[in-house]
Amino acid sequence: MVNQVQRMDGGSQAPKSDSSGASNSGGESSKESSRCSTPLLDADRADRLREKMKRRIESGDRWFSLEFFPPRTSSGAVNLISRFDRMGSGGPLFIDITWHPAGDPGSDKETSSMMIASTAVNYCGLESVLHLTCCNQTKDQITAHLAKAKRLGLKNIMALRGDPLADVWEEEECGFNYATDLVKHIRWEFGDYFDICVAGYPTGHPEAESYEADLKYLKEKVDAGADFVITQLFFRAETFLKFVKDCRAVGITCPILPGIFPIQGYQSLRQLVKLSKLEVPEAMMQVIEPIKDNDAAIRNYGIQQAVDMCKVLLQSGDVPGLHFYTLNREVATMEVLKQLGLWNEDPRRPLPWAVSAHPKRKVEDVRPIFWASRPKSYIYRTQEWDEFPNGRWGNSSSPAFGELNDYYLFYLKSKSSKEALVKMWGEELMSEESVFEVFTNYITTQPNRNGHKVMCLPWNDDPLAPETNLLKGELEKVNRRGVLTINSQPNINGKPSSDPIVGWGPPGGYVFQKAYLEFFTSSENVTALLKVLKKYEPRVNYHIVNVQGKNITNAPEMQPNAVTWGIFPGREIVQPTVVDPVSFMYWKDEAFGLWIEQWAKLYEDESPSRMIIQYIHDNYYLVNLVDNDFPLENCLWQVIDDMFDLLDAPPQSLIT
Amino acid sequence: MVNQVQRMDGGSQAPKSDSSGASNSGGESSKESSRCSTPLLDADRADRLREKMKRRIESGDRWFSLEFFPPRTSSGAVNLISRFDRMGSGGPLFIDITWHPAGDPGSDKETSSMMIASTAVNYCGLESVLHLTCCNQTKDQITAHLAKAKRLGLKNIMALRGDPLADVWEEEECGFNYATDLVKHIRWEFGDYFDICVAGYPTGHPEAESYEADLKYLKEKVDAGADFVITQLFFRAETFLKFVKDCRAVGITCPILPGIFPIQGYQSLRQLVKLSKLEVPEAMMQVIEPIKDNDAAIRNYGIQQAVDMCKVLLQSGDVPGLHFYTLNREVATMEVLKQLGLWNEDPRRPLPWAVSAHPKRKVEDVRPIFWASRPKSYIYRTQEWDEFPNGRWGNSSSPAFGELNDYYLFYLKSKSSKEALVKMWGEELMSEESVFEVFTNYITTQPNRNGHKVMCLPWNDDPLAPETNLLKGELEKVNRRGVLTINSQPNINGKPSSDPIVGWGPPGGYVFQKAYLEFFTSSENVTALLKVLKKYEPRVNYHIVNVQGKNITNAPEMQPNAVTWGIFPGREIVQPTVVDPVSFMYWKDEAFGLWIEQWAKLYEDESPSRMIIQYIHDNYYLVNLVDNDFPLENCLWQVIDDMFDLLDAPPQSLIT
């Protein structure tokens, strides 16, 4: 609570961004994703935030954006990143992250403003705006922050003055005294690289001599090089609409976005009023006071009030997009957006995986399938790849994957506590079959024998994807018998790109998949499987590897196998997912490593449970299978059935 | 006749090559073609001729190769290139071109050995071996020939001594006296770049002291760096088999290919015998003498004799491939190959167009559709493109297409004479409708009103492709009404890659196409068409341009549209044909230019016929249409029908 109040007190308002990766209600990012290997436009220029806004304004397509503040604790950071993924799926044009001078905001700590914004861009694929305040900082410090932000792939800055340290304001000789100074400095040092947002005050800044004087300051900030304005919160639509009119009258022509604050509780409202020196209208207070102890009632009122005000704003024609002060909460803002019809419940995906919003990675359009459930790990392990040649991941054999110890990436830590994991994965394992049961329970979503649901596995931090759900029955059957599946996809023969479950890419297209299955299984099973696979040549491609790297495959040497692709009007073919033999060997290390790092280490050294996991790690094989005949019924289940039949047959069958 | 006799007298025998583009009975070139944008192997090394031979020998897959000599006249050259295309379709591992010291063989004349071999490699996509003789030449001359050959993309040399100018052989001090000297020189100057073939004499070289001495010379040639041997012709299988045995005994381990000479006439056999100093077996002469005046009987006998001998050779297990002295004729050699089952009647195509065999272009795997009927022109106009980035044609906006006057490429000249063209395309054109009739007659293959069949058009040097034949009825209908089609393909939704008409690429795959139609039509028609096309947004993409370059399109800016693609086991997607907006503007110049260069110029200046063609050139538009909805029935015919309906309707319809 302290956090958001600090922010508002500082007089900062938030910028916005387009989740150009994970979701997009407009069509812009589709354009870039459909390019296969022929880069055509300088994506950086056409895709910068101000250009996206411009196109949205021209097309009349309204947007929303979301403001967050950095968390105070590590676990808070893990939760916030999950929230980014969830709220990103609704299709914000951008998010912004506030700057907390007291919290070491430019550091490498996982809770710093800088790192949270970088994570949003790089790992969550969200267009992000980083706040930056200038008072009490030297030019060099500010330049260093900006250079670091650029290096991390951040492209947008909300330029703010911030709060003076002393109660009495003293101008500094060579320092930055106003946001205007910061805007000028950014343009001077970084030219046109950053898109810049500044704050507007619909009722005037509390420290300004007058409303008119404050308008003049805003005009100066814009003239210095700001691209758009986000306002402080306000309680009446007319307050904002008058403000916009006054801005236009003094010659401010850039987009002005209203800051929306859905009231979420009595205490937070009181603190806000105190610190921001805003007055809550009398009529509003008369409604709130009687229900001040009823949190649900207050929140419902806040939602209704915000919806009503936003409707007026949108109908005015002067409001191209809405900016929400979320206070790092989901429910109220999502509800307002849903009621306004701005929440994109079923966002069309430009690609079947979330594109990173890092400028260098925007052109990326193909990835190995192995990291499908661990996209952040993939981005992390390939972050040193300077180029994605021709907009694709290219030849995996040249760029080096990040070291395996890199996978301790902070934001990849399980969202569940050690205690919760032990409950899900077993207090005490009795045998390999106990492990089979954990996998089976994860698939079926049935509680385990101690009554706990298995919500995640070391390789899958989330429940099964809707697409994988299509395979549930088959998956349950094979996991029960020790084919421990960690990744799969059904075959698809030309479904519309708009299909709610498997669709992706621009409208009017068709998407395709080859069936894929990846699992751990015992060496006995592998022996039988290899005999069975001979019958399925060349229909089925396989890679089979153990932790030592013993590798058995029938794949044409070093060639990736495309397993997801799409055909779209007026475009080249897009093939975003491949089974690649080279990267599989890197993935193998990570996949086997997770047995130990995430599972075995839950138990005491030398304990039977730990030894069972260690045994699996040491002796099982990681197998992937592709059925190349995508127009026919998936034969991979038959392959597994044949393997079991062979294992069940009298022993001599294994010799022949 | 003189030519081939000269060649044989010189004691040279021919090497071989794999038409790694147009056709391939084995699977080797499929491997390279299926790579989409991720080059994996050094194609140059794995694909050199000696490696291809090695793989064929290991797999037991027999091959054949064909020897040709350079033509004496320009029209002979045009005919020979057509013959390369026809005989290349049978799947030779390589062809070879003999070297004619008297014919300025290293020059840029279209009849020179060098240019014919270069054309075979670059334009016909045939692996080719260039003969080179060394006697009477300086080291510098030879080095210059070899450097030129390398520059033109030739990779294989048949190293021969050649004939001394004088009747009496005199060793030259610093010159090359034996083929061994030439082999050593090639290796010294060019390292391992060239694959080298040398000649073997199953009955000993006529000038050698003895059979044994000649074997010793052959051993020296091989030890100097030759990769394989082709023998002089012989008349009995046992002659060759004994020779191979003797070669092995003296330590010659490389492949030895028998030179097969199907007897094609009595005179040519006599000349051959005289010049090569070979003896025709008595038993053979007893058959031939009685039928010596019956050409057909002689040829039939020659075919039967060659087939019988080849069967013995192949059954011996010592013969991995057969080399044919074609004497630039097709019938006898093709018949022998067919009877042996070596002629690949229905060659699987690695890509839907013939890949150039030039080392730099091997990795090319995508082309604009516009040059589908003029592939040699496309190769010529893009010959300066140093790289095909990532094995694809890449961004057409950066590399420049060759100048339009380049399209007077010699080998692109029509195979028909001016007189024949006038008969086909009309002695005298009366109106635009006369032109419509020519197009319609070309489609229907019906004789025109003067009884001549229209076998070609300026944009199509050959009759309709089998694939286009599928569209014949519709094409006839629209051409009759002035939609003058020059290129089209049907839509295909996942036919097997082995389909005899539309299949291409490795086995077990599926090929796809979007329907495509390209035509010239009047500006009145275009006005109606544009109104109709609004109804087909975004299903149909179009580009419409006139000779001045006025361009109307609904295509996403500068983006190519993939119109042919294939999905194969264990591979990335291949998309070999695209409709590309940038290259369309280059094609437009060529397509309009052909009206004038090939058609208008058949008539007198100022003649009505010429003015009609000039009018069409100046006023018609070139249109291309793509139906993106490949799984549905092709809608492009409906588009044209709608256009005609609109034109037939009362005039006000055109205004609304």
Side-chain angles (χ1 to χ4, degrees), chain B residues 94-170:
Chain B
F94 64 93
I95 69 161
D96 62 314
I97 309 296
T98 61
W99 185 260
H100 288 252
D104 203 357
S107 75
D108 289 339
K109 288 198 305 189
E110 59 263 28
T111 54
S112 78
S113 302
M114 187 73 82
M115 294 320 287
I116 291 290
S118 163
T119 301
V121 167
N122 288 287
Y123 299 107
C124 305
L126 295 167
E127 180 90 54
S128 303
V129 178
L130 176 66
H131 290 221
L132 186 62
T133 62
C134 59
C135 75
N136 307 313
Q137 295 204 76
T138 66
K139 265 190 186 167
D140 286 349
Q141 284 172 322
I142 293 208
T143 301
H145 288 321
L146 289 165
K148 182 171 185 174
K150 183 176 174 183
R151 203 167 59 242
L152 291 170
L154 294 164
K155 299 169 297 175
N156 313 291
I157 298 291
M158 173 92 175
L160 300 163
R161 188 192 71 184
D163 302 317
L165 290 181
D167 279 347
V168 181
W169 178 258
E170 288 176 35

Side-chain angles (χ1 to χ4, degrees), chain A residues 342-378:
Chain A
L342 287 177
W343 184 263
N344 191 347
E345 280 280 355
D346 177 34
R348 197 165 55 231
R349 303 173 296 173
L351 287 173
W353 32 263
V355 180
S356 172
H358 191 292
K360 271 190 200 165
R361 292 192 79 123
K362 268 194 209 159
V363 288
E364 182 187 12
D365 65 6
V366 53
R367 287 187 187 171
I369 195 172
F370 316 120
W371 282 268
S373 299
R374 295 174 64 78
K376 293 186 176 69
S377 169
Y378 179 72

Side-chain angles (χ1 to χ4, degrees), chain A residues 28 52-63:
Chain A
E28 289 129 353
K52 288 192 223 177
M53 279 189 198
K54 194 166 160 242
R55 288 199 298 272
R56 290 279 190 108
I57 291 168
E58 284 166 4
S59 68
D61 186 12
R62 268 74 176 267
W63 73 80

